[in-house]
Amino acid sequence: MSGATAAFGATAAGVTAASGATAPGVTAASAPGVTAPSGTTAPGSTTPTQAPAPDPARTLGTAAHPGGHRLPAAPGGHRSPVLHHRVDGPPDAPVLLLGPSLGTSLAVWDAQTAALARHHRVVRWDLPGHGGTPAGILPGTDPRATTVADLAALVLALADQLGAERFGYAGISLGGAVGAHLAVHHPERITGLALVCSSARFGEPGAWRERAALVRAEGTAPLAEATAARWFTPGFAGTRTAERLLADLRDADPDGYAACCDALAAYDLRDALGRITAPTLVVAGRADPATPPAHSRELADAIPDAGLLELAGAAHLAPAERPQAVVTALLGHFGAPADDGSRHAQGMAVRRAVLGDAHVDRAVARTTALTADFQDYITRCAWGEIWTRPGLDRRTRSCITLTALVAHGHLEELALHVRAALRNGLTPEDIGEVLLHSAVYCGVPAANAAFATAQRVLAEHATS
């Protein structure tokens, strides 16, 4: 369901929000550190149901952000849209922003998103001129006009649009530089920071300005061969993942790419690293020629209490080349249920939200020595593992569950899940459609019994 509108009028987790277009699935979350944007109401739904989405095309104010950055205004007084982005995960989970590297789109985080989105509201975004973000979102793309501070202001505008007052942030290379800038200049916004294959200074400014001039004149195609050698180790360079990421580079808008080069040329945060107060993890690729491990050690040594992880067999795009190692490190740094006890607690919260406190309390009260392990199993696995996954919202999971129970004739469980479906946002008409659909695939007698059960439950609900 990711990236598409969910059935029955709900929006699916992971819907792409295009600049200047209405984006289903981009919600204001009712979580710690997440508030509803002005003019919207934070939804009260729980993981992973998605509430009606605010419109990212809604014009933003040109009020200054802390640090003096102002949102750019388009000609004619219309304010610029937010960065193109994609949102995955529960609307009530802590927000985690993921920043890309120069030349890539938000797809550079594909391998980590599903795991991170089980426990976080993951927001991936595209740099200006990359992926779905137009270069024109910048105040200007003239040579030397763009700075990392400008990119950071756009990220803050996105966070504001999504109602995220505070958020964790992980970024690769230039995306990491944006995160470090935010941590220095906007510490009140950052709950945690991860800098992946990044640096406090990306080499001499002249080299970046020469690259910017080349791209403005000839586009990004001439960079592809040399970039492959910087991004990937030789054994990974010919893979499908590598080719997809290089396609992002070839497709990048020259003006936007060159502007980002200008931002890197002017970037030097070395003297300010000691001001970062957010818990910080630095990740390096040992085979990274673009930001060698020495750059990561400089970051880790200068940022108070920062951790450092060096990954063998990884060049500059470590999340693509060593996906499991990176996601494990990020989960450990930003927090995730790591043991059976934590998964049980998370599962119990979802179980109560879906089935209701009264039912769960009765089930717990009836637990015996014989059934204790079974109760623990379904709480951890069914509710703590499956119902918390970000790929389907709760409305959709309710539809699937109703159909499965009809097919097997489990009418007592069906009654329970008709009530759960109502809590998950289905209407009686939606439930009737699910049962009618089931009649075709599960058989008329099964659907007949299911309709009788549902009618009884809905009548009880109507009079309660």
Side-chain angles (χ1 to χ4, degrees):
M1 295 295 297
S2 293
T5 301
F8 312 108
T11 52
V15 179
T16 299
S19 296
T22 302
V26 182
T27 63
S30 55
V34 184
T35 60
S38 176
T40 68
T41 301
S45 56
T46 55
T47 311
T49 301
Q50 296 200 347
D55 181 2
R58 184 166 57 93
T59 55
L60 300 175
T62 49
H65 285 285
H69 307 306
R70 298 181 69 83
L71 302 184
H78 299 295
R79 289 149 188 162
S80 297
V82 295
L83 294 162
H84 175 267
H85 58 283
R86 183 181 175 100
V87 179
D88 294 89
D92 54 353
V95 176
L96 175 61
L97 269 65
L98 302 181
S101 62
L102 175 68
T104 68
S105 72
L106 53 74
V108 72
W109 287 107
D110 276 355
Q112 286 74 38
T113 299
L116 293 172
R118 297 189 69 174
H119 313 291
H120 301 85
R121 187 70 164 157
V122 176
V123 181
R124 294 178 285 163
W125 55 273
D126 283 328
L127 288 160
H130 297 64
T133 299
I137 197 172
L138 289 166
T141 57
D142 294 335
R144 305 194 184 198
T146 301
T147 66
V148 168
D150 294 321
L151 302 177
L154 291 171
V155 170
L156 284 182
L158 171 61
D160 290 345
Q161 178 70 12
L162 299 180
E165 290 186 352
R166 305 191 72 217
F167 49 86
Y169 185 98
I172 308 166
S173 193
L174 174 55
V178 171
H181 178 94
L182 290 171
V184 168
H185 296 284
H186 306 274
E188 74 285 355
R189 305 295 295 269
I190 306 297
T191 59
L193 177 67
L195 306 176
V196 181
C197 298
S198 195
S199 182
R201 182 173 183 263
F202 292 82
E204 294 298 325
W208 289 108
R209 288 172 181 148
E210 289 174 8
R211 189 190 298 190
L214 172 65
V215 170
R216 286 186 172 102
E218 303 181 30
T220 58
L223 303 179
E225 184 175 348
T227 298
R230 288 194 300 272
W231 281 1
F232 312 115
T233 60
F236 192 79
T239 63
R240 181 177 299 178
T241 297
E243 288 302 319
R244 284 201 303 266
L245 293 171
L246 286 169
D248 284 339
L249 171 65
R250 296 186 186 97
D251 292 341
D253 180 281
D255 286 336
Y257 185 97
C260 290
C261 289
D262 290 332
L264 286 168
Y267 180 73
D268 188 346
L269 208 65
R270 289 174 294 181
D271 292 340
L273 294 176
R275 292 160 53 190
I276 294 177
T277 57
T280 301
L281 171 68
V282 181
V283 179
R286 286 185 182 168
D288 182 0
T291 52
H295 289 229
S296 294
R297 293 174 197 140
E298 181 180 38
L299 289 169
D301 288 344
I303 298 171
D305 300 318
L308 174 63
L309 173 64
E310 295 186 11
L311 297 177
H316 192 52
L317 297 189
E321 202 156 6
R322 293 291 310 278
Q324 189 57 52
V326 170
V327 77
T328 299
L330 294 180
L331 286 171
H333 181 62
F334 290 106
D339 53 41
D340 285 349
S342 297
R343 280 186 286 270
H344 185 281
Q346 183 176 358
M348 183 60 76
V350 177
R351 187 179 179 186
R352 287 183 178 279
V354 174
L355 300 181
D357 287 334
H359 170 81
V360 175
D361 287 343
R362 287 193 299 270
V364 170
R366 292 196 301 266
T367 301
T368 66
L370 177 65
T371 63
D373 287 343
F374 176 71
Q375 287 292 325
D376 175 66
Y377 168 75
I378 61 172
T379 301
R380 283 186 297 106
C381 296
W383 298 106
E385 291 285 343
I386 299 302
W387 277 81
T388 58
R389 290 182 61 82
L392 300 174
D393 61 24
R394 285 192 187 161
R395 284 175 53 95
T396 306
R397 292 192 185 278
S398 274
C399 294
I400 295 169
T401 303
L402 291 175
T403 304
L405 294 172
V406 172
H408 289 277
H410 299 312
L411 298 181
E412 185 174 345
E413 285 283 313
L414 178 66
L416 173 66
H417 277 276
V418 167
R419 299 184 188 97
L422 294 170
R423 290 189 189 90
N424 285 341
L426 272 72
T427 66
E429 291 76 19
D430 293 333
I431 293 169
E433 287 295 327
V434 173
L435 299 184
L436 184 60
H437 193 86
S438 300
V440 176
Y441 295 96
C442 304
V444 170
N448 185 51
F451 268 109
T453 299
Q455 187 163 289
R456 172 177 56 81
V457 172
L458 292 174
E460 292 170 356
H461 177 77
T463 58
S464 64

